[in-house]
């Protein structure tokens, strides 16, 4: 096996003022159609533009981007790849977050059309893949004014007048959740009016035409605040999460400002940049690949590029069109900027329309970094690994946190006799010290007491100890930033598990070739997907359920820790069950049994707390 090496990645960083911008491509002819928005696909090879003729135009720019990356000449005409017509105004659309032109299944957009359900459209054929409908309490179809995918691409969020819905992408039809944004029409609480825009990040950011903003998270409801009167204009029409994940930028119609809010402190705006938008139509803005510059269109045909690290600086302006710039979209990887122009003009003196879509090549230099999308996914992958490393009680394996970028997965060779270091965790003695003050029954006391005995030494995760471990097969799962992708290394049993070709030498430092790791860049791969493949790789024959529970472990720990441990394990099993592995039915039975044990222990602990006597001084 040969080690998989990763070439260093480079992003372009915008360097304003070094040289003029160049128009790299333009739509064929000036069009009377007004362009409302434009958006690059997540893989940076296609461009989607919505028009007031109720159509979504798709442009294939793979050749242009390839020529740009090879420093070839740029002077192309944008040719339509497809055009998706609709039976009403197209109010909002969103690309599938993990779209790749090499995987046809991911080439789709979610759309919201007036008086229609939310639809998932194929960008190749224009056909409808799925429909997602929400109805009010009178069973009347709601019309979504904004749509957005969740970061993990499993859900579609839709904003309505007074409602926010969440749909499961894999389950077309009715929403999984449909929440009111306000308790009632007369109530002053909550968020009032039509939800005009959505932006998915760590939380769902929502904006309304009434000038209100809100952060929505599952189980926590809405955290609502208003845009100050000085910046409110005619209502919020555009929301974007900054790449740092803590700042939400909001733009309003009839307003001269784009306002940023720090979600950790919502008492006032974090930053404000100027933008000429004295019009009732939406005007789109966006961030470049490095996350440092914000590009926004203006009414005089120029694009203003702001440095958000120093918002007090004057922006650099590019004369992009002869008319209002309705939309801008920076390329996710290269310094290419897509712009679209157009506004309605009336009267005999109105100039001839010159609306078009253009792609600009901006002056830039190399910036050593990784693609923001990959780094975000890698950070989420390692965060999930850390949560797995905090769990105990699996029959076939145990995970240990070694560093911020590493966990050790130990697959037990004899699951019926796991090593002692995996049996008993460090536990609190608070409950044991107060058992004599408890007026609970004997059964509750015995349940609370749990197992007593000497504590086993924790497992040593150093390389030397892993190599000398005879009771388990040890794997290192790491998400190093320089590789921009997780890898798995085998630390024991190389001779048994590594298959070599004739004459090939054993390389103990080469990563293990796993299907889940090879597919990580193109698919939504989670740590539990990798764990399933590792356990089946290490054990022969495969276990019926790689996530089988060692119930004896939970019987050996005190009840106060048992309640927490079973609750955490249930959340993990829920996530694993939703992945629909070959062992899903067995997983469901484990979930039911562990739920019963969890609530039994919770009731016993509550009885203990209610019957405890407070000692006198």
């Amino acid at each position: 096996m040969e080690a998989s090496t990763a070439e260093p990645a480079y992003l372009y960083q915008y360097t304003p003022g070094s040289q003029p911008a160049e128009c790299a491509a333009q739509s064929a002819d000036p069009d009377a159609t007004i362009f409302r928005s434009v958006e690059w696909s997540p893989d940076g090879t296609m461009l989607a533009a919505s028009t007031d003729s109720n159509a979504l135009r798709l442009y294939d720019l793979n050749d242009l981007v390839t020529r740009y990356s090879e420093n070839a000449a740029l002077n192309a005409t944008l040719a339509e790849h497809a055009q998706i017509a609709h039976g009403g105004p197209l109010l909002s659309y969103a690309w599938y977050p993990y779209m790749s032109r090499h995987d046809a299944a991911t080439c789709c957009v979610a759309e919201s059309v007036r008086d229609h359900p939310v639809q998932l459209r194929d960008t190749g054929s224009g056909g409808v893949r799925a429909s997602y409908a929400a109805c009010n309490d009178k069973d009347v179809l709601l019309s979504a004014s904004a749509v957005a995918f969740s970061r993990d691409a499993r859900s579609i969020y839709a904003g309505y007048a007074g409602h926010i819905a969440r749909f499961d992408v894999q389950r077309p039809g009715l929403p999984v959740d449909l929440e009111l944004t306000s308790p009632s029409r007369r109530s002053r609480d909550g968020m009032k009016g039509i939800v005009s825009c959505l932006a998915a990040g760590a939380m769902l950011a929502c904006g309304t035409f009434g000038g209100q903003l809100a952060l929505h998270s599952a189980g926590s409801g809405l955290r609502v605040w208003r845009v100050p009167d000085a910046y409110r204009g005619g209502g919020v029409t555009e929301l974007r999460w900054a790449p740092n994940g803590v700042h939400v930028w909001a733009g309003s119609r009839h307003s001269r400002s784009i306002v940023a809010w720090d979600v950790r402190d919502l008492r006032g705006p974090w930053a404000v940049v100027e933008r000429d938008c004295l019009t009732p139509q939406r005007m789109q803005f966006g961030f470049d690949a490095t996350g440092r510059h914000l590009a926004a269109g203006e009414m005089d045909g120029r694009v203003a590029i702001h440095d958000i690290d120093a918002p007090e600086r004057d922006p650099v302006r590019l004369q992009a069109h002869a008319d209002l710039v309705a939309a801008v979209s920076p390329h996710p990887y290269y310094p290419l900027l897509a712009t679209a122009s157009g506004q309605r003009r009336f009267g005999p003196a109105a100039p001839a329309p010159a609306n078009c879509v253009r792609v600009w090549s901006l002056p830039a230099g190399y910036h050593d970094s990784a693609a923001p999308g990959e780094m975000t996914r890698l950070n989420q992958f390692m965060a999930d690994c850390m949560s797995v490393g905090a769990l105990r009680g699996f029959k076939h394996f145990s995970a240990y946190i070694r560093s911020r970028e590493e966990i050790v997965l130990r697959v037990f060779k004899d699951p019926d006799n796991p090593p002692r270091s995996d049996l008993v965790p460090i536990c609190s003695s608070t409950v044991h010290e107060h058992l004599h003050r408890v007026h609970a029954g004997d059964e509750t006391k015995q349940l609370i007491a749990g197992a007593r005995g000497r504590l086993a030494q924790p497992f040593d995760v150093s390389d030397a100890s892993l190599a000398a471990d005879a009771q388990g097969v040890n794997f290192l799962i790491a998400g190093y930033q320089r590789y921009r992708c997780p890898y798995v290394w085998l630390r024991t049993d190389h001779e048994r598990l590594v298959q070599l070709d004739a004459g090939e030498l054993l390389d103990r430092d080469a990563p293990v070739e796993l299907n889940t790791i090879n597919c990580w860049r193109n698919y939504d791969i989670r740590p539990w997907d990798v764990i399933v493949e590792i356990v089946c790789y290490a054990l022969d024959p495969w276990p019926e359920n790689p996530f089988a529970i060692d119930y004896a472990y939970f019987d050996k720990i005190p009840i106060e820790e048992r309640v927490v441990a079973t609750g955490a394990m249930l959340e993990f099993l829920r996530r694993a069950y939703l992945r629909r592995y070959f062992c899903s039915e067995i997983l469901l039975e484990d979930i039911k049994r562990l739920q019963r044990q969890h609530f039994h222990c919770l009731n016993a602990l509550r009885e203990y707390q209610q019957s405890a006597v407070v000692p006198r001084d």
Side-chain angles (χ1 to χ4, degrees):
M1 297 174 59
E2 295 183 358
S4 176
T5 58
E7 295 294 331
Y10 294 94
L11 288 179
Y12 290 93
Q13 180 166 347
Y14 177 63
T15 52
S18 59
Q19 58 184 2
E22 174 188 359
C23 183
Q26 179 175 323
S27 53
D29 297 309
D31 199 331
T33 298
I34 296 175
F35 290 95
R36 297 184 180 275
S37 67
V38 65
E39 195 76 36
W40 285 98
S41 63
D43 68 346
T45 61
M46 295 187 68
L47 199 63
S50 65
T51 67
D52 70 342
S53 59
N54 304 338
L56 182 68
R57 300 184 181 184
L58 301 171
Y59 302 93
D60 190 344
L61 298 178
N62 184 53
D63 292 340
L64 175 74
V65 174
T66 301
R67 289 201 304 272
Y68 184 90
S69 63
E70 296 173 351
N71 294 321
L74 300 176
N75 189 6
T77 298
L78 294 180
E80 286 187 15
H81 169 70
Q83 184 171 150
I84 304 175
H86 305 89
L90 177 61
L91 303 179
S92 179
Y93 67 93
W95 283 98
Y96 182 74
Y98 300 125
M99 179 269 183
S100 172
R101 65 180 293 109
H102 303 294
D103 185 358
T106 64
C107 297
C108 58
V109 293
E111 295 181 339
S112 169
V113 179
R114 183 178 298 170
D115 298 327
H116 287 71
V118 175
Q119 294 179 332
L120 194 65
R121 290 269 193 163
D122 190 300
T123 56
S125 64
V128 178
R129 291 189 182 179
S131 295
Y132 309 88
C135 300
N136 60 14
D137 55 352
K138 299 178 178 61
D139 205 26
V140 176
L141 178 69
L142 298 175
S143 180
S145 54
V147 293
F149 277 97
S150 62
R151 290 197 303 178
D152 59 5
R154 296 183 182 181
S155 303
I156 295 176
Y157 293 103
Y160 304 90
H163 295 81
I164 294 176
R166 181 175 69 88
F167 300 93
D168 188 332
V169 174
Q170 297 182 358
R171 293 174 56 192
L174 297 178
V176 177
D177 298 311
L178 181 62
E179 298 185 20
L180 290 170
T181 58
S182 180
S184 66
R185 295 182 62 181
R186 295 184 178 182
S187 174
R188 295 185 178 182
D189 297 330
M191 187 171 62
K192 311 291 288 186
I194 300 174
V195 178
S196 57
C197 49
L198 299 171
M203 293 176 283
L204 181 67
C206 315
T208 69
F209 287 122
Q212 288 182 304
L213 297 173
L215 294 176
H216 176 272
S217 59
S220 302
L222 292 171
R223 171 69 170 88
V224 182
W225 74 99
R226 290 187 67 84
V227 178
D229 293 340
Y231 313 118
R232 185 178 306 163
V236 181
T237 56
E238 184 75 10
L239 280 176
R240 297 278 180 177
W241 280 95
N244 60 18
V246 297
H247 297 138
V248 176
W249 291 77
S252 301
R253 56 187 180 182
H254 287 297
S255 173
R256 293 186 179 273
S257 304
I258 302 176
V259 187
W261 304 83
D262 190 324
V263 297
R264 299 166 296 184
D265 184 3
L266 298 175
R267 290 175 294 180
W270 176 77
V272 178
V273 298
E274 298 301 319
R275 188 265 304 261
D276 187 13
C277 180
L278 301 179
T279 174
Q281 73 183 82
R282 295 175 184 257
M283 293 183 65
Q284 182 182 338
F285 61 89
F287 293 95
D288 71 343
T290 64
R292 180 176 176 179
H293 297 96
L294 181 149
E298 297 187 333
M299 296 186 64
D300 58 0
R302 294 188 296 176
V303 174
I305 301 177
H306 301 267
D307 186 347
I308 62 174
D309 288 346
E312 69 280 358
R313 296 180 182 175
D314 292 334
V316 176
R317 285 183 165 85
L318 161 69
Q319 188 66 45
H321 295 271
D323 204 349
L324 177 145
V325 180
V328 298
S329 179
H331 193 275
Y333 307 118
Y334 295 116
L336 297 173
L337 180 69
T339 62
S341 65
Q343 65 176 325
R344 290 202 177 276
R345 296 181 180 273
F346 303 95
N355 306 322
C356 63
V357 175
R358 289 176 178 170
V359 178
W360 297 86
S361 172
L362 301 178
Y366 279 109
H367 175 64
D368 187 5
S369 182
E374 290 182 351
M375 296 308 302
T376 300
R377 292 184 58 218
L378 182 60
N379 292 335
Q380 182 61 48
F381 183 91
M382 292 313 301
D384 291 338
C385 284
M386 297 300 107
S387 64
V388 176
L391 294 176
R392 293 292 181 272
F394 294 103
K395 183 177 180 180
H396 295 288
F397 69 90
S398 188
Y400 309 88
I401 300 174
R402 193 161 89 162
S403 71
R404 187 173 60 90
E405 298 178 323
E406 300 172 321
I407 67 167
V408 173
L409 190 73
R410 189 187 192 192
V411 182
F412 304 136
K413 294 180 179 178
D414 186 4
D416 295 328
N417 296 294
R420 180 171 172 79
S421 60
D422 287 285
L423 288 179
V424 184
I426 299 175
C427 58
S428 170
S429 60
T430 304
V431 174
H432 299 292
E433 295 173 357
H434 296 281
L435 275 178
H436 65 281
R437 304 192 187 102
V438 178
H439 294 286
D442 294 336
E443 181 181 356
T444 300
K445 286 186 177 182
Q446 185 178 1
L447 183 61
I448 291 175
R452 305 299 297 274
R454 299 182 62 85
L455 183 67
Q457 293 297 320
F459 181 62
D460 187 359
V461 294
S462 64
D463 288 338
S465 297
L466 294 179
D469 183 20
Q471 296 179 294
V473 183
N474 296 305
F475 295 83
L476 177 66
I477 303 176
Y480 300 124
Q481 299 285 327
R482 63 180 180 274
Y483 293 149
R484 312 184 314 280
C485 176
Y487 285 100
V488 176
W489 285 268
L490 182 62
R491 289 296 180 239
T492 56
D493 294 71
H494 292 82
E495 291 77 10
R496 180 174 67 89
L497 297 176
V498 178
Q499 296 180 0
L500 301 176
D501 297 332
E504 185 179 4
L505 299 178
L506 177 63
D507 185 0
R508 296 178 180 270
D509 293 327
V512 180
E513 289 289 337
L514 298 177
N515 292 330
T516 49
I517 297 300
N518 293 336
C519 298
W520 184 84
R521 296 183 186 275
N522 298 322
Y523 296 91
D524 180 24
I525 301 297
R526 298 304 181 94
W528 26 98
D529 303 327
V530 179
I531 291 174
V532 169
E533 187 173 3
I534 288 177
V535 173
C536 294
Y537 174 80
L539 298 180
D540 188 17
W542 294 359
E544 292 183 351
N545 178 15
F547 300 114
I549 302 300
D550 181 11
Y551 293 97
Y553 164 83
F554 294 101
D555 294 335
K556 290 181 171 65
I557 60 178
I559 190 171
E560 70 270 38
E561 292 190 16
R562 199 180 314 169
V563 170
V564 177
T566 53
M569 181 63 74
L570 281 171
E571 172 60 19
F572 174 84
L573 294 180
R574 181 191 67 84
R575 296 185 179 186
Y577 175 76
L578 293 177
R579 304 297 278 185
R580 295 298 179 184
Y581 300 120
F582 60 90
C583 57
S584 293
E585 296 302 323
I586 305 176
L587 266 176
L588 183 59
E589 295 302 318
D590 282 339
I591 291 175
K592 293 178 180 179
R593 179 176 174 182
L594 201 60
Q595 277 181 334
R596 291 193 294 268
Q597 183 175 357
H598 174 73
F599 288 109
H600 179 59
C601 296
L602 189 62
N603 291 332
L605 184 60
R606 185 182 294 112
E607 182 183 351
Y608 155 72
Q609 292 173 338
Q610 293 175 351
S611 57
V613 177
V614 179
R616 296 181 179 179
D617 295 334

